[in-house]
Amino acid sequence: MAWVWFHRFGSPPHFYRLATRLAPWFGWPAALLCLGGLIGGLALAPPDYQQGDGFRIIYVHAPAAWLSLMVYVVMASAAAVGLIWRMTVAYAVAASCAVIGASFTAVALATGMLWGRPMWGTYWEWDPRLTSELLLLFLYLGYMGLRNAIDDTGRADRASAVLAIVGVVNVPIIHYSVIWWNSLHQAPSVMKFGQPTMPAAMLVPLLLMLAGFSAYFVALLLTRARGELLRRERNARWMAEALDGAAAGKR
Amino acid sequence: MLKFLQMGGYARYVWPCYALTAAVVGLNIHWARRSLRAAQREARRRLAALRAAS
């Protein structure tokens, strides 16, 4: 049963059709969730008792940082599946992740710097959390650079997959850096066991933003993966089918 | 309204964060669509070449 699902999911025409149909079902809810999160975070949540209104940076900083890690895990997992089962769909998914992940890692770093300046008194410190997140940006850039340097898509897929898988050790280092070492950065307030250390009026908008950004990422990924699949395709019949669907207005 | 925009004195840190994030969210939508369209154009070219060859 599971294998039937696995094979169907791994079939490029099936995935392409599914991705076309599903993308709006993630994109529009993402917009609504983020709208709710923005209203709640900017207008309804009370100011923090220490940071005043400055804490509202969390509603963009935390979702960006969350994406930077989640996208990497998706990229490395897809790359591993591609490498093990030689699955084209998995490689297409992995290749779709890099630009999204790199851009949100940059956002997490930049918004963190803008938050650090008023609260810590400095834009940057060679702190474990900040340094490991910067390393994540370099991993994404290295992955993209490696792919660009190899003309053959199949070889680029395999070589970059190894890099993505090796780099995954950095993900738990980033997450636990604030616990393992003394860090300027605060400890997790949502992603931890037990009660979140935030009142509901602050927490709910944050959860909406996190859900919204996740759904937004899925919509982007589905759109990009369709393109990556077409780039890898040699079968004329389903290519024609997929492109005719596009011409008929189904995008 | 003015009070909201001032963000309790943190306006010059808060609003650039939101502006940057909004820009990257928008850019990623644009890049994803552009990447898909480019792949479709390229696939159409290859398909035409395949059909011409057969």
Side-chain angles (χ1 to χ4, degrees):
Chain A
M1 190 62 197
W3 284 100
V4 173
W5 174 84
F6 193 70
H7 280 288
R8 271 171 69 88
F9 203 69
S11 122
H14 184 256
F15 185 91
Y16 192 95
R17 278 195 302 272
L18 196 68
T20 312
R21 266 212 315 268
L22 282 181
W25 289 96
F26 285 93
W28 289 110
L32 287 177
L33 286 164
C34 289
L35 187 68
L38 282 176
I39 295 170
L42 285 172
L44 304 180
D48 183 70
Y49 84 105
Q50 278 183 325
Q51 303 194 3
D53 287 318
F55 98 98
R56 296 185 200 279
I57 292 173
I58 199 173
Y59 298 108
V60 286
H61 175 71
W66 157 245
L67 272 197
S68 74
L69 293 179
M70 182 181 75
V71 173
Y72 197 92
V73 172
V74 170
M75 183 172 91
S77 314
V81 170
L83 211 54
I84 297 166
W85 285 289
R86 296 164 184 249
M87 199 194 233
T88 312
V89 170
Y91 279 135
V93 166
S96 306
C97 286
V99 173
I100 310 170
S103 57
F104 281 98
T105 307
V107 169
L109 286 165
T111 55
M113 288 169 78
L114 282 164
W115 198 0
R117 179 63 202 160
M119 301 308 166
W120 301 340
T122 178
Y123 285 113
W124 187 261
E125 193 61 50
W126 292 101
D127 166 283
R129 169 58 71 85
L130 278 60
T131 309
S132 53
E133 183 77 8
L134 184 64
L135 182 62
L136 183 69
L137 179 63
F138 292 149
L139 280 169
Y140 278 122
L141 295 179
Y143 179 92
M144 287 155 65
L146 184 60
R147 293 197 65 93
N148 275 333
I150 305 173
D151 284 330
D152 179 67
T153 312
R155 284 189 57 210
D157 280 340
R158 289 189 295 277
S160 61
V162 175
L163 176 66
I165 294 163
V166 171
V168 92
V169 295
N170 192 34
V171 170
I173 294 179
I174 295 173
H175 184 75
Y176 291 107
S177 57
V178 288
I179 298 167
W180 290 341
W181 296 290
N182 280 317
S183 174
L184 274 175
H185 198 283
Q186 65 154 73
S189 31
V190 181
M191 304 284 179
K192 62 171 197 152
F193 294 109
Q195 287 282 312
T197 46
M198 252 184 168
M202 290 177 172
L203 181 65
V204 171
L206 182 57
L207 294 177
L208 289 177
M209 290 302 275
L210 290 170
F213 270 59
S214 306
Y216 161 80
F217 162 62
V218 176
L220 284 181
L221 184 64
L222 290 172
T223 306
R224 278 183 171 275
R226 283 166 64 202
E228 292 295 337
L229 269 183
L230 279 179
R231 289 195 179 97
R232 287 164 179 74
E233 195 47 59
R234 298 283 170 269
N235 181 324
R237 213 176 52 164
W238 96 253
M239 257 164 74
E241 196 188 297
L243 292 169
D244 286 346
K250 281 190 279 176
R251 284 200 299 169
Chain B
M1 189 64 197
L2 189 66
K3 209 167 156 249
F4 175 72
L5 288 177
Q6 282 169 344
M7 274 290 145
Y10 290 109
R12 66 198 176 106
Y13 301 108
V14 173
W15 294 122
C17 287
Y18 279 81
L20 174 72
T21 309
V24 171
V25 164
L27 271 177
N28 264 293
I29 295 173
H30 174 68
W31 289 336
R33 286 183 177 160
R34 197 179 58 180
S35 158
L36 173 61
R37 276 199 303 269
Q40 285 171 336
R41 264 199 308 276
E42 193 258 343
R44 231 171 243 127
R45 258 202 312 275
R46 266 194 297 137
L47 195 59
L50 277 172
R51 278 175 177 163
S54 63

